[in-house]
Amino acid sequence: MAESSLTSAKARKTRTQSFEHAPPFMSSSSGPLTEELQCSICLDVFTDPVTTPCGHNFCKTCLNKCWDNSQTCSCPYCKETFKQRPDLKINTTLRQLVDHYKKKSLMKTTDVLCDTCEGRKLKALKSCLVCQSSYCETHLEPHLRVTRLKKHKLMDPVSNLEDYICQKHEKPLDLFCRDDQTCVCLICSVTDHKNHNTVPVEEESEKKTKLMKTQKDVQQMILNRIKKLQNVKHSAEVRKRNTEKEKTAHVKFLTDLTRSIERCRTELLEKMEEQQKAAEKQEEELIEELEQEITELKMRNTELEQLSHTEDHLHLLQIYSSLYSPKNTRNWPEISVKTHESLETLRRALTQLKNTIDEKLTQTVSTELKWMQQYAVDVTLDPDTASPYLILSDDGKQVRDGDIEQKLSDKPERFDKCLCVLGKEGFSSGRFYFEVQVKGKTEWDLGVARESINRKGKITLSPSNGYWTVWLRNGNEYKACDDPPVSLCLRVNPQRVGVFVDYEEGLVSFYDVESSSHIYSYTGQSFTEKLYPYFSPSLNYEGKNSNPLIITPVNDNK
């Protein structure tokens, strides 16, 4: 059987025995189709893959047909609708991976049948390089039992056995010449390839298999990163749309508030003008009446003067009654009271407007505060930054002055003199919010600080030094430590202070949580590094300021 196979092999067309045409046991087969390479519309491998703005991939033809048959353009996968039909560009990276997959799929071998079976041939289990035949499990049995046949070279079944035989020496291609990058037989290795670097085919195949496996891993990494990139782009689009919606809502709210205040102001001015005109008209009438009464009284006085010298007592008695009893005149003290009441009415109108404006401002701050509280973060104090004089609770939520210096390692991040401590986590983007209970304290500092602040010796709180804070001194003196500092006049002493930061907008705001009132805001700041929550409970002052600062859960009304 071996001689017949070798003779027939001589008549076959000579093939180049390069590594590219090496036996299948030296090459890796393509992996199964993954969902990353499959269109969810046609459920087949991508053809000219394109990516939608929401980050999903489809065949270009499939997606265009889908949109041509619809009134709207939406993603067939996540159903997101686009206002305008997107301009689809082919995803070149994904297309390269698809082409590679298709190429590998075409390289897969078909089933090899047993050469010995008569009638219906069974699937071959092994191919023999010496016999130049393939055998099913039954017909392979002699090669596993007969001593002479056990020496034959067996391999996984292939249909092109001639490619595994040296056409010149009719010997199995057992070796690989690394110098010429081709498979050779044992005779070739001592003749045409003498002194060349030859190794067993299995050894070179194992090396190439590892290389192919590495390539496959890299391809999978590329797919994973493409998917992650698409997810990031999608998240960025969603965040951008949400931000635009938030901005639109806030602009509308503030616009409505401004219009409402302007309307109240206009109504008040109109009312004041009406009252002013009414008062002026009343004054003119009163002056006219008063002047008329004065004239009449002067005339009556003249008549009385004349009658005082007459002796016509009868006439005097006749007119005395009319002269003595004056005509109906205004009660001038009452007029003064009514004028005062008009001024009082005006004052009440002014007070009512002020209360209306204050109420609307309170509603605005409440709405803003509720919106900010959605960005609440879990802040925990960092003991590595705490001054040796401070005492922190076990859960890292409370800090107070302990009066006595503790023996702690002097780390670069620790405040050594000032009674300060930072939060553990820093923030370099987005928005964050936290609340601190200051109830019962006469002094405290709160805010945020940048990572590179000076933590040794005396510290001056100001934005130029990396601190955005407000403080309390002497029980009722509040100040924003701005450049320059700003004294604050608060209606009530805050019991819980909320701190909100918008990193990109350069905003740091402070709020009285319980009264829903605004305390102070730093605006137009430029942040270039991480910001950390900043706390200082200040000195104990012999127990007068012994209460701790407490980081409280947001919306906790206890």
Side-chain angles (χ1 to χ4, degrees):
M1 180 183 296
E3 291 180 0
S4 176
S5 299
L6 291 173
T7 301
S8 62
K10 290 181 179 180
R12 296 186 179 98
K13 184 178 179 180
T14 302
R15 300 177 183 231
T16 303
Q17 303 299 330
S18 65
F19 187 75
E20 293 179 353
H21 299 90
F25 54 75
M26 296 196 307
S27 63
S28 64
S29 61
S30 177
L33 176 64
T34 61
E35 62 179 66
E36 289 87 352
L37 301 180
Q38 187 178 22
C39 173
S40 60
I41 298 178
C42 65
L43 302 180
D44 203 350
V45 182
F46 287 122
T47 301
D48 291 335
V50 294
T51 305
T52 61
C54 57
H56 297 113
N57 301 308
F58 305 94
C59 296
K60 183 176 182 179
T61 302
C62 293
L63 188 57
N64 281 329
K65 285 183 179 179
C66 181
W67 286 350
D68 290 341
N69 297 327
S70 176
Q71 296 294 332
T72 60
C73 293
S74 60
C75 175
Y77 188 83
C78 69
K79 307 305 180 185
E80 180 177 346
T81 302
F82 313 112
K83 294 182 179 179
Q84 295 182 347
R85 184 163 178 165
D87 183 16
L88 300 175
K89 296 289 192 304
I90 295 178
N91 189 327
T92 56
T93 303
L94 187 57
R95 183 172 65 179
Q96 291 175 358
L97 292 173
V98 170
D99 292 343
H100 178 76
Y101 170 82
K102 290 180 178 179
K103 181 178 179 182
K104 298 296 288 186
S105 297
L106 293 174
M107 292 175 60
K108 289 184 177 180
T109 58
T110 57
D111 292 340
V112 178
L113 302 179
C114 177
D115 292 328
T116 307
C117 286
E118 296 180 358
R120 180 175 176 273
K121 293 183 176 294
L122 299 178
K123 183 178 178 180
L125 184 63
K126 292 288 183 180
S127 293
C128 178
L129 290 177
V130 178
C131 299
Q132 284 283 282
S133 296
S134 300
Y135 302 101
C136 64
E137 184 177 6
T138 301
H139 294 112
L140 181 65
E141 189 271 336
H143 280 75
L144 305 177
R145 176 174 50 81
V146 179
T147 302
R148 178 177 60 85
L149 296 179
K150 285 182 178 182
K151 298 179 180 179
H152 287 191
K153 181 74 172 183
L154 297 178
M155 59 178 288
D156 290 337
V158 294
S159 58
N160 55 334
L161 275 170
E162 66 272 16
D163 290 345
Y164 299 84
I165 301 298
C166 177
Q167 301 301 307
K168 182 177 182 179
H169 302 109
E170 299 181 354
K171 297 293 182 180
L173 298 170
D174 292 332
L175 302 174
F176 181 78
C177 177
R178 288 178 172 172
D179 293 343
D180 296 335
Q181 288 291 297
T182 184
C183 294
V184 298
C185 70
L186 184 61
I187 298 177
C188 289
S189 67
V190 296
T191 56
D192 297 344
H193 297 269
K194 185 178 182 180
N195 297 327
H196 286 192
N197 182 13
T198 58
V199 295
V201 165
E202 290 81 358
E203 179 180 337
E204 186 68 15
S205 176
E206 182 179 356
K207 175 183 176 182
K208 298 297 183 183
T209 300
K210 290 181 179 179
L211 180 61
M212 295 297 290
K213 183 178 183 301
T214 301
Q215 182 184 7
K216 186 176 181 181
D217 291 341
V218 172
Q219 292 172 356
Q220 187 61 43
M221 290 172 64
I222 293 174
L223 284 174
N224 293 340
R225 279 153 178 77
I226 290 175
K227 190 171 183 179
K228 186 172 183 180
L229 175 61
Q230 293 171 347
N231 291 337
V232 171
K233 288 183 177 179
H234 178 61
S235 298
E237 287 293 330
V238 172
R239 181 193 61 76
K240 183 178 180 181
R241 287 196 295 271
N242 291 339
T243 301
E244 290 300 323
K245 289 180 181 178
E246 290 177 0
K247 287 183 178 179
T248 301
H250 285 299
V251 169
K252 183 178 183 302
F253 179 82
L254 293 175
T255 301
D256 292 343
L257 176 61
T258 302
R259 288 174 179 173
S260 177
I261 294 175
E262 182 64 23
R263 185 169 58 254
C264 291
R265 187 183 72 84
T266 302
E267 291 175 356
L268 175 63
L269 292 176
E270 290 177 352
K271 189 172 183 179
M272 292 175 64
E273 186 174 355
E274 291 176 359
Q275 291 177 345
Q276 177 67 18
K277 290 181 179 179
E280 290 176 354
K281 183 177 180 181
Q282 184 183 29
E283 289 171 355
E284 291 175 357
E285 292 175 352
L286 291 175
I287 291 172
E288 184 179 355
E289 290 181 16
L290 183 57
E291 289 177 344
Q292 184 177 351
E293 288 190 17
I294 292 173
T295 301
E296 292 177 354
L297 289 172
K298 285 182 177 181
M299 291 175 61
R300 190 175 294 120
N301 183 61
T302 301
E303 291 180 0
L304 290 172
E305 182 68 26
Q306 292 174 352
L307 290 174
S308 65
H309 301 288
T310 184
E311 295 180 355
D312 189 351
H313 300 291
L314 178 62
H315 180 65
L316 178 62
L317 290 173
Q318 289 175 345
I319 66 173
Y320 177 80
S321 176
S322 62
L323 291 174
Y324 181 79
S325 302
K327 298 180 179 180
N328 292 331
T329 59
R330 288 182 180 271
N331 188 336
W332 296 110
E334 290 183 359
I335 296 298
S336 299
V337 171
K338 291 182 179 179
T339 304
H340 176 71
E341 289 176 350
S342 298
L343 295 175
E344 183 66 18
T345 300
L346 181 59
R347 187 188 65 79
R348 286 199 299 268
L350 288 171
T351 302
Q352 183 178 0
L353 175 62
K354 182 178 181 299
N355 292 338
T356 300
I357 294 176
D358 288 344
E359 182 180 355
K360 290 184 178 295
L361 289 176
T362 300
Q363 292 174 356
T364 303
V365 174
S366 295
T367 303
E368 291 292 317
L369 191 58
K370 185 176 295 184
W371 173 78
M372 292 173 186
Q373 287 174 339
Q374 69 176 312
Y375 297 101
V377 295
D378 185 14
V379 176
T380 304
L381 301 174
D382 185 358
D384 290 339
T385 66
S387 164
Y389 291 90
L390 294 181
I391 296 179
L392 277 58
S393 61
D394 293 338
D395 62 356
K397 298 295 184 180
Q398 302 185 25
V399 57
R400 62 182 176 86
D401 175 24
D403 277 340
I404 301 175
E405 183 178 8
Q406 305 174 74
K407 293 183 179 180
L408 301 175
S409 58
D410 187 16
K411 298 182 178 181
E413 60 268 30
R414 187 183 304 283
F415 293 93
D416 62 347
K417 299 298 181 183
C418 294
L419 301 180
C420 310
V421 62
L422 300 181
K424 280 187 178 180
E425 183 179 2
F427 303 87
S428 58
S429 64
R431 304 169 177 138
F432 63 95
Y433 173 87
F434 60 95
E435 294 180 357
V436 182
Q437 179 178 308
V438 297
K439 184 177 181 180
K441 295 192 65 61
T442 59
E443 287 193 6
W444 50 259
D445 303 344
L446 283 178
V448 294
R450 66 179 177 226
E451 188 173 19
S452 63
I453 53 172
N454 175 35
R455 310 183 188 198
K456 306 301 180 184
K458 183 179 179 181
I459 293 174
T460 301
L461 299 180
S462 68
S464 58
N465 291 330
Y467 296 86
W468 292 265
T469 62
V470 295
W471 75 17
L472 167 65
R473 294 292 184 268
N474 302 320
N476 60 2
E477 297 176 7
Y478 296 89
K479 181 177 292 185
C481 303
D482 207 334
D483 289 319
V486 178
S487 296
L488 305 175
C489 182
L490 306 184
R491 292 182 298 174
V492 295
N493 290 347
Q495 304 299 303
R496 182 185 301 187
V497 177
V499 183
F500 174 76
V501 176
D502 189 326
Y503 193 96
E504 281 74 16
E505 291 296 328
L507 172 67
V508 181
S509 292
F510 299 84
Y511 293 85
D512 182 345
V513 178
E514 294 184 358
S515 67
S516 297
S517 59
H518 176 255
I519 296 176
Y520 189 79
S521 287
Y522 293 86
T523 60
Q525 306 298 305
S526 178
F527 303 132
T528 58
E529 57 188 272
K530 278 188 177 182
L531 298 179
Y532 290 82
Y534 168 86
F535 311 82
S536 174
S538 194
L539 295 171
N540 191 330
Y541 292 116
E542 299 180 349
K544 295 180 182 179
N545 190 38
S546 60
N547 284 9
L549 289 177
I550 303 175
I551 303 172
T552 59
V554 175
N555 295 324
D556 184 359
N557 295 322
K558 294 183 178 180

